[in-house]
Amino acid sequence: MPVESLHVLILSTAAFFAFITAFIIYFIVLYRNKQLKNKQEQEQQQSAFRQELLKAQIEMQEQTLLYVSREIHDNVTQVLSFVKLSLAMAGKSSEDHKQTKINESRELVAQVITDLRDLSKSLSFEHITHLGLVKTIEIETKRINKSGIINVSLSAEGDIYPLGEQRELVLFRIFQETLNNTLKHSGAKHLKIALQYHSELFNLTLEDDGDGFSAILLDKSKGSGLKNIENRATLIGAVATINSSPGKGCCISVSLNPLEQRLYADGYHPNRFS
Amino acid sequence: MLTIITTSYTFLVLIIGIIGIIRYKWLSLPFKLLTWSSFMACLLAILSQILNARYRNNKPILHLESITEFVFYSVIYYYLFKNKIIKKAIIVSIIVFSVSFLINAIFFQPFFKLFPSNIDLPKQVLFAIFSLLLFKEMLLYPLKINIINQSIFWFNTAMLFFATTMFFNLGITNYLARYIRYDNILVYFWYLIIYLFHILICIALLTENKKFTLSDAG
């Protein structure tokens, strides 16, 4: 074989192997860059999620404090003011009237103590974890029915199982938010609460017969209670559906898969004020 | 010299098969198939030597090697790909190639007489295409582990290397056809390719861990 031909052969073989090697090295570099990019995106998503979670937790705390403040102002303060007035007037009355006033005041103070105790129970996270979601909603339902403002009915289908501390807390807060909205804005006479426990699906439905609202209001209401309900549901891996139209009440449904494990929905829930 | 090379090749594929058996419980399905393909290659290599020694003709083994290699590696690619369209295309290609092999072996390049180049060359084209598509899919769904520790990378590199080198080999064959006494260079080059291919397959079997492949996927 001529020397030139041998050189051509060797060169072409070397060039071929060099090309293959260069392609493989190029692919490795490209792959590594893709891995880094994916990792950065994942970190950004996790960071955004953590911020969202923190924001929701702070909002929940603020709303809880607002709720407490409102309850104390609307109920406790009013009643105690009346008791103070009543006792002041008792001093100027006859013995019979005095005793009647004192008895009335004692009953009112007893009522305030009961209301404060109920309020404390509804705020307490430990209360919810101890009794579970159904029982806690049942207690709230009885409290609301006793007030006579609205008629609340509660039903629970299926075998009740624990959903996890944080999930149950968030679901309870959604229930409280919805209840507040119904009492303050809807003008409803009835509120139906249904909890459905199936093996691969949990559903919480809250339906009232109030004035309802248009879907446009929901779309525009960023940062409002309704948007909070959706955000809170997302945090625990649930889907919140809000259906309403003017004159036809409002139906809020929260569904989640109890088998789905999410970092923020499982495990021991820390003290919500810490 | 050639006998030493062919015998050591037989031992190489046997050792690779044994490595696959030792690591069997850590292998996912495609790499279990790869293990069995090594044993098949070993068996065919032994049969080829026997036929060569007795009848001076190993063309039937080359035919069998051609189709079984295609079926094995195509099925491995079938399990490695996520894209459903490509998976269907692989199934179709297996059927088409099997039928083509039979027709070729009966009518065009008889089973006992000629090397099945009509099947071998399109096979290499397909393997090159599969490997490039799999490289592309790897970029779409990068795993979290280092690419050097990924068995898919080593297997795919082996296939791309083998497929493209076969064309180069054909070019060299045609180029050297004008010169006498070229066959030794070609045979040594051919075995170099085969050795490198199986070493890369061995690395793939050593790096495979179904826990990472299945959990990190997508």
Side-chain angles (χ1 to χ4, degrees), chain B residues 58-74:
Chain B
N58 67 344
K59 298 294 184 297
I61 299 300
L62 295 177
H63 275 263
L64 280 176
E65 223 171 50
S66 185
I67 190 64
T68 50
E69 238 179 41
F70 180 77
V71 170
F72 257 109
Y73 293 136
S74 297

Side-chain angles (χ1 to χ4, degrees), chain B residues 10-64:
Chain B
T10 311
F11 275 110
L12 174 66
V13 283
L14 179 65
I15 289 165
I16 289 168
I18 291 168
I19 288 170
I21 292 294
I22 290 168
R23 298 203 75 243
Y24 205 71
K25 61 177 180 183
W26 289 291
L27 302 181
S28 56
L29 180 60
F31 291 91
K32 283 177 179 166
L33 287 170
L34 194 61
T35 303
W36 293 111
S37 76
S38 294
F39 281 120
M40 179 213 66
C42 178
L43 177 68
L44 289 173
I46 293 167
L47 287 173
S48 176
Q49 286 178 57
I50 292 169
L51 283 181
N52 237 352
R54 280 188 93 171
Y55 305 104
R56 313 298 281 174
N57 180 15
N58 67 344
K59 298 294 184 297
I61 299 300
L62 295 177
H63 275 263
L64 280 176

Side-chain angles (χ1 to χ4, degrees), chain B residues 3 22-23 33 53 86 88 163 179 189 213:
Chain B
T3 314
I22 290 168
R23 298 203 75 243
L33 287 170
I86 297 176
K88 281 181 189 160
Y179 303 105
F189 183 67
T213 311

Side-chain angles (χ1 to χ4, degrees), chain A residues 1-2 4-6 8-9 12-14 16-17 20 23-24 27-28 30-32 34-35 38 42, chain B residues 132 135 138-139 142-145 147-148 150 153 157 160-161 164-165 168 172 175-176 179 185 189:
Chain A
M1 185 193 301
E4 295 82 14
S5 301
L6 190 63
V8 165
L9 181 66
S12 55
T13 309
F16 174 77
F17 279 108
I20 295 284
F23 174 81
I24 297 297
F27 176 79
I28 290 172
L30 210 64
Y31 192 86
R32 184 82 188 123
K34 189 84 180 167
Q35 275 180 323
N38 272 10
Q42 204 176 23
Chain B
L132 289 172
F135 274 130
M138 283 173 73
L139 284 174
L143 303 183
K144 288 175 192 164
I145 56 175
I147 193 167
I148 304 300
Q150 290 181 35
F153 167 73
T157 302
L160 181 68
F161 168 75
T164 51
T165 319
F168 185 71
I172 293 179
Y175 180 76
L176 291 176
Y179 303 105
I185 298 173
F189 183 67

Side-chain angles (χ1 to χ4, degrees), chain A residues 53-54 56-58 60-61 64-65 120 123-129 165-166 169 173 266-274:
Chain A
L53 182 65
L54 187 65
Q57 283 175 340
I58 291 167
M60 275 162 65
Q61 288 176 5
T64 306
L65 291 172
S120 159
L123 293 175
S124 166
F125 165 72
E126 284 168 3
H127 187 70
I128 294 165
T129 50
E165 291 171 352
Q166 192 157 3
L169 176 65
R173 295 292 178 234
D266 299 295
Y268 182 72
H269 183 265
N271 184 337
R272 63 196 170 78
F273 290 113
S274 66

